[in-house]
Amino acid sequence: MLDPENQFFDKENSSKKRWVSRSLAGILLIALLCGVVSAPLAIYIRWQRDQSSQSNELRPAVKAPDTNSESFDGNRIAFIDTDDQLVTIAPNGSNRIELTNDDKKYLFPAWSPNGRALAVVGDDSLYLYPDIDEDSVNNRVVRLYSSPSEPPFYLYWSPDSQQLSFLANHPQGIALLLSSLNEGDSRQLAVGQPFYWDWSPESDQILIHTGTVDEDSSLAVLDASGAQKIKAVANPGRFQAPGVSPSGLQWAYAERTSQGISRIVVQGSDEELLLIEPHSGQAYMTWSPVEDNLAFASPAIGSRSRFGSLRLFEVGTGKTRTIVNEQVVAFFWSPDGSKIAYLTLAEPAPGGIQALDGNKGRLARRIRDQHPEIELNLQIVDIKSREIKWLTTFRPPATYVTQFLPYFDQYALSHLVWSPDGEYLILPMIKGEREVISIITVSDGSVSELAEGKIGFWRPG
């Protein structure tokens, strides 16, 4: 069973009841999707500074962006402030609306793809703002799900914005549930741990990956209506989130061969394998939001690194090429599919990191206590030209390192770090001793502080 000491969000002067609920929420998010925070270990223990010419580019001067730009018109951001409350705000910092003001702890808000609704977890419940707008008077809230014994902790909307899939604690691991906004109820679809999934473009099927390579694992497709049984796809390899292409005609995943080799696979609608790419270590993959192009990263065969270069597979041409020859920690497609933002480690963590090994169940508490200070480079690569632009180097909060980065491939499906017009990115940063939400201008790398907070995401356009 999960260790109740393995949490790091409780406040010093909170009541005992609130401490318990926050402890459980912290445990669940650390268990999010995977149950084991492997990527931070790789970050702290395995990283070595990349010496390629790409990291020696001239860095632009940082200046305040023009927050009166027309690009901000109509856009909005949802974020969790330092008191764990849900807030929406305009990207220029105006029209701040605090949607919650209570003793609950709110986590990772998720906008619907049409931008009309906002969902969030608050302690043991799932809340929906069905008609979100800039008038706090009209922002009514509905509780979709509540369970003290099986609380929710991760949200992912269907592409049609009519269904909300989410993960909740379960006696047998983690349960995938589905709430229909029209029916107003929640039903369980499957159970497994860890748990990753992607929706079909038509919102009628879900491609799921559960379990680990050496334990009970499954890679299957299920009907979102629950009318059909789960159909097995392949024997899962070493990867996390599977992917369905924008056309819905291809699936991406990693499978394990009878010889025990893990290989990245793109499967066509006729079950033809369009890509077969053997790899070592963990593989990460995400589809372009507009074209059937797959970005993926994994250690090469024989590599001793825990990370790998970023590569691109184009279904139309059948070609695979390397677009970033660095140790990529995480990557995110721009909304128009022309660029990818990616993260690499800028500086090694200070001494004492070797202690972060052994008992993985205590990892989050150790990170909380030791709080290693790492820095990440944020860079952009143009898909066609392969031109790389350095934007900024920042120090990420512990929440980002332990809860978001390890599962970035799943979050890339459900939460937007790019603005809808592709002109800006949003990231949490440590400035001095403060946790702040910052907006980075893609054109020149300028950084603007939006508000104090833990994590935030763009409203879809």
Side-chain angles (χ1 to χ4, degrees):
M1 193 64 187
L2 294 174
D3 182 357
E5 296 182 6
N6 191 21
Q7 57 84 34
F8 50 93
F9 280 117
D10 41 306
K11 295 184 177 180
E12 294 181 0
N13 299 319
S14 61
S15 65
K16 182 176 181 181
K17 179 179 179 181
R18 190 178 179 191
W19 185 91
V20 172
S21 65
R22 291 191 172 190
S23 298
L24 181 57
I27 295 167
L28 289 172
L29 270 179
I30 294 167
L32 172 57
L33 311 174
C34 190
V36 175
V37 185
S38 57
L41 274 175
I43 290 175
Y44 298 135
I45 299 173
R46 301 287 185 179
W47 179 84
Q48 294 180 347
R49 176 184 286 274
D50 185 87
Q51 297 295 325
S52 71
S53 60
Q54 296 181 45
S55 60
N56 294 324
E57 295 182 331
L58 293 177
R59 298 183 174 186
V62 176
K63 61 181 181 180
D66 179 11
T67 54
N68 293 318
S69 168
E70 293 182 358
S71 296
F72 283 133
D73 291 347
N75 286 350
R76 201 152 185 84
I77 289 166
F79 73 95
I80 302 300
D81 68 13
T82 53
D83 291 324
D84 302 313
Q85 299 300 298
L86 175 62
V87 181
T88 68
I89 195 170
N92 61 6
S94 66
N95 196 21
R96 176 182 174 126
I97 298 175
E98 297 179 357
L99 293 176
T100 63
N101 184 19
D102 51 44
D103 62 354
K104 295 183 177 66
K105 175 185 176 62
Y106 294 91
L107 308 166
F108 290 88
W111 291 99
S112 62
N114 61 15
R116 298 174 184 173
L118 181 64
V120 68
V121 170
D123 286 351
D124 59 8
S125 298
L126 169 58
Y127 297 97
L128 171 70
Y129 294 83
D131 302 297
I132 198 78
D133 59 25
E134 298 180 10
D135 183 357
S136 59
V137 176
N138 296 326
N139 286 324
R140 65 186 180 93
V141 60
V142 177
R143 186 163 63 180
L144 289 180
Y145 171 90
S146 184
S147 174
S149 61
E150 299 179 12
F153 58 92
Y154 169 75
L155 313 175
Y156 178 13
W157 286 86
S158 63
D160 63 4
S161 300
Q162 297 303 306
Q163 302 173 89
L164 187 60
S165 57
F166 60 97
L167 295 181
N169 192 28
H170 188 275
Q172 298 177 2
I174 296 174
L176 173 65
L177 295 96
L178 188 64
S179 179
S180 172
L181 304 190
N182 296 326
E183 299 174 2
D185 63 347
S186 300
R187 53 190 173 83
Q188 181 177 302
L189 297 181
V191 176
Q193 186 174 357
F195 211 122
Y196 306 88
W197 75 103
D198 193 12
W199 283 91
S200 68
E202 296 79 15
S203 302
D204 60 344
Q205 290 185 325
I206 302 175
L207 181 61
I208 66 171
H209 171 215
T210 65
T212 60
V213 173
D214 299 322
E215 299 178 9
D216 294 336
S217 60
S218 175
L219 179 63
V221 60
L222 57 87
D223 193 309
S225 68
Q228 298 180 8
K229 294 182 179 180
I230 295 177
K231 178 183 178 182
V233 175
N235 183 22
R238 295 182 60 83
F239 80 115
Q240 293 188 159
V244 182
S245 68
S247 69
L249 299 178
Q250 291 87 29
W251 295 340
Y253 53 87
E255 71 171 0
R256 191 181 190 188
T257 68
S258 58
Q259 291 78 30
I261 298 173
S262 183
R263 60 185 190 180
I264 298 170
V265 169
V266 172
Q267 176 182 319
S269 57
D270 57 359
E271 299 188 1
E272 178 185 4
L273 301 186
L274 306 178
L275 172 71
I276 300 176
E277 186 78 17
H279 70 95
S280 61
Q282 189 97 310
Y284 304 91
M285 59 199 77
T286 60
W287 288 98
S288 161
V290 295
E291 297 180 280
D292 288 353
N293 294 334
L294 181 74
F296 63 96
S298 64
I301 294 293
S303 172
R304 301 180 67 178
S305 170
R306 295 293 296 271
F307 302 111
S309 58
L310 183 60
R311 307 184 70 192
L312 183 71
F313 172 68
E314 299 173 330
V315 172
T317 64
K319 295 181 179 180
T320 301
R321 56 190 172 99
T322 299
I323 55 175
V324 175
N325 191 24
E326 296 187 71
Q327 302 289 305
V328 175
V329 174
F331 52 92
F332 307 91
W333 284 92
S334 65
D336 65 359
S338 66
K339 301 177 181 67
I340 294 178
Y342 67 95
L343 299 174
T344 60
L345 280 151
E347 297 291 343
I353 303 308
Q354 289 75 12
L356 295 177
D357 59 8
N359 187 347
K360 296 179 180 179
R362 303 283 182 170
L363 176 60
R365 184 163 59 84
R366 292 179 179 180
I367 291 176
R368 175 201 64 190
D369 295 339
Q370 299 185 17
H371 194 56
E373 297 181 2
I374 67 169
E375 288 190 337
L376 296 172
N377 284 326
L378 172 65
Q379 300 180 85
I380 300 290
V381 59
D382 185 279
I383 298 302
K384 290 184 177 180
S385 68
R386 296 191 226 183
E387 178 183 356
I388 289 175
K389 178 189 294 185
W390 176 91
L391 295 182
T392 191
T393 297
F394 68 101
R395 177 184 162 199
T399 303
Y400 188 79
V401 172
T402 60
Q403 297 186 34
F404 185 86
L405 279 185
Y407 320 108
F408 79 88
D409 48 346
Q410 182 68 47
Y411 276 109
L413 301 172
S414 56
H415 294 71
L416 289 181
V417 299
W418 283 85
S419 63
D421 60 8
E423 298 294 330
Y424 304 94
L425 288 153
I426 189 169
L427 286 172
M429 301 180 179
I430 296 291
K431 295 294 182 71
E433 298 301 319
R434 300 181 305 132
E435 292 186 35
V436 300
I437 307 297
S438 298
I439 293 179
I440 301 92
T441 304
V442 172
S443 60
D444 61 9
S446 56
V447 179
S448 176
E449 182 179 317
L450 179 66
E452 291 192 357
K454 296 186 173 180
I455 196 132
F457 303 101
W458 289 90
R459 180 182 193 170

